[in-house]
């Protein structure tokens, strides 16, 4: 009879495992977006830090600006002014370099989830066309492909028809996974989109600010209100804008192209709820197992 009860117990465990899997599927998404893998992220960090460093040493306006804002925030090294914001859920360093496509937060995102289902885990060749920094944020501006634009604004424009474009990129040795292509030097209005990668933020500034800063840049680009001359720097043209001339936009000579995987990022609240669910199911299973084996 013990063997029979053991089989019963195993079946019960299997059932509870399935229940746990169901619970996992009910996590609340924090946001959807395109994520770069670790190797590409490391390359992007190296490249963009390099841009900031060389602008700091070559362009006096950049040096003055970074010194001023760092001093105001009591930061000794101006090149460490921008730091990747901590993950609001865990309080840990946020390792993900990504482009947010849809922020869900605590809200119901199920309509969006349904519409983008077919794009999940797919690779998208992504165009990174420039870099910008302000008193608040440091970011990369992204020129979305048509299909990415549709996914970005999905809840407005409905599901796009075509498949994602994933050409084979010829990666250069120094930066695996990142390709470089020349772009139009005189194009001072390369994107219409707030799509961006947050590279770093000033102290106490959250990552959502990067998108707000980019929207401001788009407005200044539209009416061509700039400060002073265009500076021809090592990797492109630098333009200052803003009422205090403290917004810097770097129009790169070469855009960077890298694969990014469309995926979801879950919030900690939901992870906690699975953990609790799994714990509960676990306790239930052990109690049941004990009960089955003890009964005689
Ligand atoms: C980029 O990587 C190279 C090679 O590892 C390194 O020498 C350089 O200091 C890095 N640059 C930055 C800005 O981190
Ligand atoms: C950041 O916020 C903390 C807590 O509100 C405050 O103590 C600190 O001075 C702020 N830092 C800066 C640079 O504003
Ligand atoms: C900021 O500037 C003031 C005045 O120039 C100076 O006394 C102070 O040491 C600077 N603070 C930092 C952190 O560099
Ligand atoms: C989802 O779509 C349905 C039907 O199109 C609509 O009635 C509902 O309000 C939408 N829900 C949200 C949260 O947008
Ligand atoms: C997607 O691209 C990343 C980065 O290039 C690569 O690591 C991954 O294997 C690709 N995935 C697929 C399914 O091709
Ligand atoms: C980008 O993704 C595509 C499709 O998933 C893959 O074939 C290609 O090798 C990737 N490119 C790089 C540079 O990893
Ligand atoms: C941005 O992408 C569009 C296609 O989606 C293209 O027509 C345009 O030339 C691109 N701009 C830049 C600066 O790459
Ligand atoms: C251009 O747009 C910016 C941002 O909206 C605004 O602050 C500025 O006053 C505008 N300038 C002109 C000349 O219209």
């Amino acid at each position: 009879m013990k063997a029979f009860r053991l089989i019963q117990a195993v079946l019960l465990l299997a059932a509870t495992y399935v229940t746990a899997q169901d619970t996992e599927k009910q996590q609340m998404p924090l946001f959807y977006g395109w994520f770069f893998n670790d190797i590409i992220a490391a390359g992007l960090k190296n490249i963009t830090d390099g841009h900031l460093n060389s602008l700091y040493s070559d362009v006096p306006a950049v040096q003055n600006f970074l010194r001023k804002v760092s001093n105001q925030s009591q930061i000794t090294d101006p090149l460490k002014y921008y730091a990747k914001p901590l993950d609001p859920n865990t309080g840990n360093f946020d390792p993900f370099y990504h482009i947010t496509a849809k922020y869900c937060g605590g809200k119901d995102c199920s309509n969006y989830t349904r519409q983008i289902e077919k794009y999940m885990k797919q690779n998208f060749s992504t165009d990174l066309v420039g870099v910008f920094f302000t008193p608040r944020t440091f970011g990369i501006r992204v020129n979305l492909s048509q299909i990415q634009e549709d996914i970005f604004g999905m809840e407005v424009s409905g599901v796009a028809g075509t498949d994602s474009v994933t050409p084979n990129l010829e990666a250069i040795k120094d930066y695996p996974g990142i390709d470089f292509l020349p772009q139009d030097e005189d194009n001072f209005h390369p994107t219409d989109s707030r799509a961006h990668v947050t590279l770093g933020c000033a102290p106490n500034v959250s990552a959502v600010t990067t998108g707000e800063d980019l929207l401001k840049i788009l407005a200044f680009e539209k009416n061509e209100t700039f400060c002073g001359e265009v500076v021809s720097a090592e990797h492109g043209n630098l333009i200052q804008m803003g009422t205090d001339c403290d917004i810097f936009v770097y129009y790169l000579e070469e855009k960077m192209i890298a694969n990014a995987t469309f995926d979801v990022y879950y919030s900690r609240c939901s992870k906690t709820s699975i953990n609790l669910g799994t714990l509960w199911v676990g306790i239930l299973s052990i109690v049941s197992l004990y009960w089955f084996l003890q009964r005689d």
Side-chain angles (χ1 to χ4, degrees), residues 31-60:
F31 65 86
Y32 287 87
W34 291 275
F35 292 81
F36 297 101
N37 70 17
D38 298 0
I39 295 164
I40 292 173
L44 292 176
K45 178 163 171 48
N46 185 284
I47 293 164
T48 52
D49 279 352
H51 289 337
L52 196 67
N53 293 358
S54 68
L55 290 174
Y56 182 81
S57 45
D58 299 345
V59 184

Side-chain angles (χ1 to χ4, degrees), residues 101-102 111-112 115-116 149-160:
K102 167 83 176 171
N111 282 355
Y112 184 79
Q115 283 176 298
I116 49 72
E149 235 169 71
D150 290 339
I151 294 173
F152 201 82
M154 190 67 89
E155 78 265 57
V156 187
S157 61
V159 182

Side-chain angles (χ1 to χ4, degrees), residues 58-75:
D58 299 345
V59 184
V62 171
Q63 194 168 120
N64 292 338
F65 161 75
L66 279 178
R67 282 192 172 154
K68 184 173 148 226
V69 289
S70 303
N71 185 293
Q72 283 165 357
S73 298
Q74 270 116 42
I75 288 172

Side-chain angles (χ1 to χ4, degrees), residues 219-220 223 225:
F220 283 114
N223 66 18
T225 314

Side-chain angles (χ1 to χ4, degrees), residues 4 41 74 95 112 122 147 235:
F4 175 66
Q74 270 116 42
Y112 184 79
Q122 280 197 36
I147 183 108
H235 293 284

Side-chain angles (χ1 to χ4, degrees), residues 37 40 121 123 177 259 261:
N37 70 17
I40 292 173
K121 314 282 183 202
N123 268 345
N259 271 351
T261 310

Side-chain angles (χ1 to χ4, degrees), residues 165-241:
V165 190
T166 50
N168 259 331
L169 303 178
E170 204 181 308
I172 71 163
K173 201 173 112 245
D174 292 353
Y175 297 108
I178 304 174
D179 200 19
F180 295 84
L181 261 191
Q183 52 183 353
D184 182 3
E185 232 182 281
D186 300 322
N187 187 355
F188 288 138
H189 190 193
T191 58
D192 276 315
S193 168
R194 63 181 292 162
H196 64 271
V197 179
T198 296
L199 294 168
C201 292
N204 294 352
V205 172
S206 71
V208 291
T209 317
T210 321
E212 292 163 14
D213 281 352
L214 186 49
L215 284 177
K216 250 195 231 171
I217 291 169
L218 297 179
F220 283 114
E221 283 178 338
K222 217 155 234 163
N223 66 18
E224 298 189 17
T225 314
F226 303 135
C227 304
E229 297 288 297
V230 175
V231 177
S232 173
E234 193 183 346
H235 293 284
N237 289 322
L238 183 75
I239 288 191
Q240 264 174 277
M241 52 186 84

